[in-house]
Amino acid sequence: MTGNENIAHPEHPMQIRDILSFSTHAATANRGRTLLMLLAMAIAVSSVVVLISLGDSARHYVIDQFATLGTNLLIVLPGRSETTGGPPPLLGETPRDLTLEDAMALTRIRTVRRVSSIIAGSAPVSVGHLERELLVLGSTSELYEIRHLALNQGSFLPPGEPTRAEAVCVIGQKGKKELFGNQPAIGKWLRIGDRRFRVIGVLSPGVSLGEDLGEVVIIPVAAAQALFNRSSLFRVLVESTSSEGMEQTRKAILDTIRVRHEGEDDITVITQDAVLTTFDRIFKALTLSVAGIAAISLVVAGIMIMNVMLVAVSNRRAEIGLLKALGASRRQILGLFLTESTILSSIGAGIGLLLALLGMRLAAFLFPEFPLHLAPWSSTISLGVALITGIIFGVLPARRAADLEPAFALARR
Amino acid sequence: MISLQHIERVFQVGDEEVHALRDVSMTAAGGEYIAIMGPSGSGKSSLLNILGLLDRPDSGSYELDGVKVSELDEKEQARIRRHKIGFVFQFFHLVPRLTAFDNIALPLMLAGMKQDERQERVTAALAAFGLANRAQHRPDQLSGGQRQRVAIARATIMQPSVILADEPTGNLDRNAGIEVVEILEELNHQGITLIIVTHDPELGKRARRQILMVDGRIEDDR
Ligand SMILES: Nc1ncnc2c1ncn2[C@@H]1O[C@H](COP(=O)(O)OP(=O)(O)O)[C@@H](O)[C@H]1O
Ligand SMILES: [Mg+2]
């Protein structure tokens, strides 16, 4: 008998379009009540998206900085890094200085292409009565290639013995502007501390390793040693001949220095790759944990959705009874109310995404020096979050609606 | 064709058992016009709810057009309601946020009918019930009589074989009430089984058959 029924009335599911429009209409009919909830959802989603985006921006920023370091680069620092193992240095032991002679010894390693020493410090730089505090880098001609620098005018430090303290300098764009204005600077003299240097080049603006190249003055390393009255190097940058030979080069550097430092392993060698992967890991973990904390606000928003939907179910008892009287099955009611809560959370998530976008724009406007951007998967994340929250917190109210007895739901008004 | 056999319906109210229906048996042929009458609380609505599959009896059996519907599951009962039964309520039960058009279209929408097909059927129904110029009005912009006509249009849009009306004039003034009853009687003339619950004797007299309920029992059937 029921078989005949099925032929007489083939069963069609509701049109998707109808489900969406009916539920949207229902979700938005009671504005005042839903507004607060939308706000909660929006704030939750935007805080998640903003935090993820900030983390992602920071990660990119740092990684870009290190990527501009140059390929096949090894950085030699004085002092042993704690993570390399071995017995801790005895109390009071200070690491041996990393000297210019050490750096020159490294050039004899077969897999080393270039070596550049660095001494850094800040010093007053003046032209006439104009004075600026700038970052002074003592280095060698090889720095130009190793750090992928670019010049606006003139030439870089001349090649030659690093021990020669020629009185020449290369100045950053901003420092040049502040000290010389629009006058040409090439060939002019400036004073760093109590020494005079002739300007032979002006750097192109840019950022490298977190330093604004605009506010840098580069002088020969030997001149910097004299200027700062210090023989120990801040860093030695070593460029390996190939990326495959990095590990071999690293060992060779350690061996060379150990021999020169009476058997002590008192330097640290880091590679760009190692730095990058470490930072990448740290920032990803940081971003995730911060986003996790922000996700708590999603639970709050989800509970608000559940509340709004429970109130809606009890307010619309008669409507639910009616839908059943008109032939809606339990499943249809369940679907309609789940759709409704999902639409609510999606609208909230949409607003949240917009808020996040505006927030990131504002932050980018306030801090133009940082490349801030919305994390690429932000919209996917917020959509996913909205769907999941809407469904999870919509299940209880929707089931309550679906389980209503029609006769009871329709009784009295 | 409707057949109820030994229907019992008991509600538990606190410690007390309320017998809303006691051993109710009745049959109704297709196309009949029946008024269910009786004092308040006598079980009229309970009987109608059983007939409309809005409620399940505690015992007894119900056969509709040869199908033992009391044995069907929830989903199949919903299908029967959708295709065979039209409801008209005292309080109209229109969805307040939807227009007259959309209220009438609800059963078609639930049945998954496409929008353009619906358009045609609902427009015809609006015209047939004198609501053509009220299509885009919401219930609060309609008079009581118009609301009940929207409800009747909705109840008949799926071309059911039975219309169950629980005090359909209870919330209307005299003229609007008569108008609504005449519409329902016209539908009955076209062959739909019409069962009206009412405690208005004048209205009851218009039916060819009257069932009198007292304290959950059928007291009289003629
Ligand atoms: N859902 C319910 N819960 C408890 N008692 C109910 C319920 N529905 C109806 N009743 C009781 O059943 C009896 C019959 O009710 P009803 O069928 O509504 O009467 P009528 O429609 O004739 O006024 C009444 O005593 C009523 O209080
Ligand atoms: Mg009643």
Side-chain angles (χ1 to χ4, degrees):
Chain A
M1 267 310 179
T2 45
N4 290 340
E5 292 301 317
N6 285 326
I7 294 162
H9 305 293
E11 199 62 9
H12 295 289
M14 267 180 84
Q15 309 265 319
I16 303 285
R17 198 173 138 187
D18 287 330
I19 296 176
L20 289 179
S21 82
F22 184 88
S23 300
T24 308
H25 208 148
T28 50
N30 199 332
R31 292 202 178 82
R33 178 162 53 81
T34 43
L35 216 63
L36 198 71
M37 183 236 93
L38 286 181
L39 195 68
M41 192 68 198
I43 289 172
V45 166
S46 67
S47 54
V48 170
V49 170
V50 162
L51 286 169
I52 289 178
S53 297
L54 284 179
D56 196 54
S57 297
R59 189 172 67 92
H60 273 281
Y61 177 71
V62 169
I63 285 170
D64 285 352
Q65 287 305 308
F66 280 91
T68 58
L69 264 179
T71 42
N72 305 344
L73 191 71
L74 299 102
I75 305 170
V76 183
L77 306 85
R80 192 211 318 243
S81 136
E82 267 101 285
T83 57
T84 55
L90 294 170
L91 202 67
E93 185 198 40
T94 47
R96 210 172 295 265
D97 286 350
L98 193 58
T99 64
L100 209 48
E101 288 69 33
D102 290 336
M104 284 155 72
L106 296 181
T107 58
R108 287 190 289 273
I109 297 172
R110 201 170 41 80
T111 54
V112 165
R113 178 178 290 155
R114 297 187 183 92
V115 174
S116 182
S117 311
I118 292 178
I119 286 181
S122 126
V125 179
S126 60
V127 175
H129 54 273
L130 275 176
E131 187 176 291
R132 288 284 178 278
E133 190 82 9
L134 295 179
L135 175 69
V136 177
L137 285 183
S139 193
T140 60
S141 63
E142 287 85 356
L143 185 72
Y144 186 74
E145 297 287 341
I146 291 180
R147 272 183 73 165
H148 299 304
L149 299 178
L151 288 171
N152 233 357
Q153 298 158 34
S155 54
F156 199 68
L157 300 179
E161 279 298 302
T163 44
R164 267 187 60 197
E166 239 185 300
V168 292
C169 71
V170 176
I171 188 166
Q173 183 78 35
K174 198 169 164 210
K176 183 253 162 194
K177 261 250 153 56
E178 288 177 346
L179 293 169
F180 295 99
N182 289 326
Q183 304 293 317
I186 305 290
K188 299 271 174 60
W189 290 83
L190 51 69
R191 185 176 285 279
I192 304 176
D194 54 0
R195 288 161 184 270
R196 275 159 47 84
F197 293 84
R198 188 166 50 89
V199 178
I200 58 168
V202 179
L203 289 170
S204 295
V207 177
S208 178
L209 243 183
E211 308 293 0
D212 184 351
L213 290 179
E215 300 188 49
V216 156
V217 180
I218 302 173
I219 60 176
V221 66
Q225 283 180 315
L227 180 70
F228 295 120
N229 189 24
R230 181 204 305 161
S231 66
S232 72
L233 300 176
F234 173 62
R235 296 273 185 279
V236 176
L237 305 182
V238 178
E239 190 180 319
S240 167
T241 47
S242 69
S243 54
E244 297 81 49
M246 292 288 275
E247 191 47 36
Q248 194 191 339
T249 311
R250 201 178 77 88
K251 288 219 173 74
I253 292 171
L254 286 171
D255 290 343
T256 306
I257 301 295
R258 190 184 307 116
V259 168
R260 296 182 51 83
H261 288 191
E262 290 144 3
E264 292 287 339
D265 268 323
D266 56 2
I267 56 160
T268 302
V269 179
I270 54 179
T271 59
Q272 182 189 323
D273 268 6
V275 173
L276 283 186
T277 30
T278 307
F279 269 104
D280 200 55
R281 261 211 313 274
I282 291 173
F283 273 97
K284 272 185 180 152
L286 217 68
T287 305
L288 269 178
S289 53
V290 168
I293 293 167
I296 293 171
S297 60
L298 272 173
V299 175
V300 175
I303 290 170
M304 286 185 82
I305 290 182
M306 186 162 77
N307 240 328
V308 164
M309 290 307 295
L310 282 175
V311 171
V313 169
S314 77
N315 283 352
R316 279 154 55 197
R317 249 183 39 195
E319 178 188 325
I320 297 160
L322 172 81
L323 290 175
K324 289 199 162 185
L326 298 181
S329 63
R330 220 188 142 270
R331 273 185 65 136
Q332 275 185 313
I333 304 280
L334 201 68
L336 284 173
F337 274 81
L338 269 183
T339 308
E340 194 173 323
S341 60
T342 307
I343 284 172
L344 279 175
S345 62
S346 300
I347 295 174
I351 298 173
L353 191 61
L354 217 67
L355 282 181
L357 186 70
L358 292 178
M360 291 304 285
R361 284 268 166 85
L362 183 70
F365 174 74
L366 293 177
F367 307 102
E369 59 268 35
F370 294 106
L372 294 170
H373 59 87
L374 216 56
W377 4 267
S378 294
S379 42
T380 317
I381 290 176
S382 20
L383 189 72
V385 153
L387 291 179
I388 292 169
T389 318
I391 289 170
I392 289 179
F393 291 94
V395 164
L396 184 75
R399 289 184 63 143
R400 197 165 283 186
D403 289 341
L404 273 179
E405 290 296 334
F408 173 72
L410 284 164
R412 281 168 293 275
R413 279 172 219 252
Chain B
M1 171 68 185
I2 289 170
S3 166
L4 291 184
Q5 297 298 325
H6 310 295
I7 297 292
E8 298 277 343
R9 186 67 175 108
V10 183
F11 293 105
Q12 192 76 38
V13 182
D15 308 334
E16 239 178 292
E17 287 193 337
V18 179
H19 284 256
L21 296 174
R22 299 172 198 261
D23 192 22
V24 169
S25 300
M26 63 165 279
T27 57
E32 268 202 84
Y33 178 8
I34 304 174
I36 300 177
M37 316 209 332
S40 178
S42 58
K44 306 183 294 293
S45 295
S46 300
L47 177 56
L48 210 68
N49 286 341
I50 300 284
L51 286 171
L53 296 174
L54 295 178
D55 196 13
R56 282 172 185 267
D58 294 302
S59 66
S61 76
Y62 174 14
E63 203 170 299
L64 175 63
D65 292 342
V67 179
K68 281 214 182 245
V69 290
S70 49
E71 289 168 10
L72 297 179
D73 66 17
E74 183 269 340
K75 197 177 167 198
E76 288 169 319
Q77 288 202 346
R79 276 170 50 73
I80 302 280
R81 289 198 295 269
R82 166 178 300 172
H83 296 289
K84 299 212 152 193
I85 303 166
F87 293 93
V88 179
F89 305 96
Q90 178 179 359
F91 296 109
F92 321 127
H93 285 311
L94 301 179
V95 179
R97 61 176 181 280
L98 299 183
T99 61
F101 184 101
D102 288 338
N103 265 291
I104 296 171
L106 261 182
L108 303 176
M109 184 189 90
L110 290 170
M113 185 184 279
K114 292 210 180 70
Q115 231 138 0
D116 43 349
E117 277 176 71
R118 259 157 39 194
Q119 180 76 30
E120 219 171 287
R121 295 247 311 245
V122 176
T123 307
L126 280 162
F129 291 97
L131 294 162
N133 54 355
R134 295 284 180 273
Q136 295 310 315
H137 289 221
R138 276 188 283 107
D140 59 5
Q141 298 164 321
L142 298 172
S143 72
Q146 288 168 335
R147 287 184 212 181
Q148 200 59 302
R149 276 187 275 148
V150 171
I152 295 170
R154 182 181 62 193
T156 53
I157 197 81
M158 295 294 285
Q159 296 163 333
S161 55
V162 185
I163 286 189
L164 304 175
D166 195 345
E167 315 235 17
T169 62
N171 242 8
L172 301 177
D173 62 41
R174 225 188 113 66
N175 287 339
I178 288 173
E179 193 187 16
V180 160
V181 169
E182 282 173 351
I183 290 174
L184 290 173
E185 286 172 353
E186 171 56 28
L187 290 167
N188 174 245
H189 275 303
Q190 294 167 16
I192 299 182
T193 308
L194 176 62
I195 302 180
I196 296 186
V197 164
T198 181
H199 54 239
D200 177 353
E202 215 167 298
L203 217 141
K205 261 185 266 166
R206 297 173 67 117
R208 283 189 292 278
R209 176 177 164 194
Q210 287 107 26
I211 292 178
L212 178 68
M213 295 207 57
V214 176
D215 197 20
R217 278 182 228 282
I218 293 183
E219 188 77 10
D220 195 14
D221 188 349
R222 61 194 154 87

